[in-house]
Amino acid sequence: IVEQSPANALTGTFQTSNPDHYIYLTHNIINDTNPKTATMQRMVHYVFSDGSTHPGVRDVTQTINFRSTNQIDQVTGKYVTSNGESDTPTTWQITSGNFDGIASPLVTGYKVTSVTPTDQRDGDNVKQMVPTQPGNNMDVTVTYTPQEQTVNLHYIDVYGVTPAYNG
């Protein structure tokens, strides 16, 4: 495709006095008509340092679906990027799902002592994340540790005798 040319470049006779001739070409860039899709998941696992389980605390799986939104150079067949060209899609759009922040469930007698990896931590909770392109699936672990508890013991004699100390 001729992009630009001097007025006399399309007709005439080549002169030996001017051996340099320039042909300007451009590539036809089109929207990708066969976009790629990808899925990414984040699994949040709740564990208790004492090995216990709690029925109200269940692991959470979040899923995001992506679709590529690239342009293709019809001459090279490669994806067009801001830095040149690529063999793989570089521009993605989320089509469904999210990685919303997740509040760690409150468990009586336990406290959250870690959220790992730490870049997923928002205090004692799992933070919101908005990926711009698909990546590896992620595992996040929220660890609970038993809290020290204060209790009052009351001694009661089944025969009605009042103990000397009730504390």
Side-chain angles (χ1 to χ4, degrees):
I1 299 171
V2 175
E3 182 178 81
Q4 61 181 348
S5 61
N8 61 351
L10 299 178
T11 63
T13 306
F14 291 109
Q15 302 293 323
T16 57
S17 62
N18 186 4
D20 295 328
H21 302 281
Y22 299 93
I23 299 173
Y24 298 89
L25 302 174
T26 185
H27 292 214
N28 193 28
I29 307 298
I30 62 167
N31 289 328
D32 186 359
T33 57
N34 188 22
K36 308 297 182 256
T37 59
T39 299
M40 183 177 175
Q41 290 187 321
R42 176 168 76 170
M43 284 77 61
V44 179
H45 307 283
Y46 297 98
V47 298
F48 293 83
S49 64
D50 61 0
S52 63
T53 59
H54 298 269
V57 181
R58 294 195 176 103
D59 290 354
V60 175
T61 300
Q62 297 174 310
T63 303
I64 294 180
N65 295 302
F66 294 89
R67 181 176 50 86
S68 63
T69 58
N70 292 274
Q71 292 186 315
I72 296 179
D73 182 327
Q74 281 193 302
V75 174
T76 65
K78 294 187 177 196
Y79 296 98
V80 177
T81 71
S82 58
N83 298 325
E85 294 185 334
S86 171
D87 291 328
T88 57
T90 58
T91 307
W92 295 87
Q93 176 182 21
I94 294 175
T95 57
S96 66
N98 60 58
F99 287 168
D100 280 346
I102 301 173
S104 296
L106 296 176
V107 179
T108 302
Y110 290 84
K111 65 180 176 180
V112 173
T113 53
S114 71
V115 177
T116 56
T118 56
D119 68 341
Q120 295 296 304
R121 184 177 188 140
D122 181 11
D124 287 341
N125 303 308
V126 178
K127 77 175 186 177
Q128 177 182 9
M129 183 182 155
V130 183
T132 57
Q133 63 185 27
N136 294 330
N137 289 338
M138 301 169 52
D139 284 299
V140 178
T141 301
V142 177
T143 303
Y144 289 83
T145 303
Q147 289 181 307
E148 211 172 279
Q149 305 262 335
T150 302
V151 296
N152 293 317
L153 297 177
H154 300 275
Y155 298 96
I156 301 172
D157 188 301
V158 294
Y159 297 110
V161 178
T162 303
Y165 173 75
N166 192 13

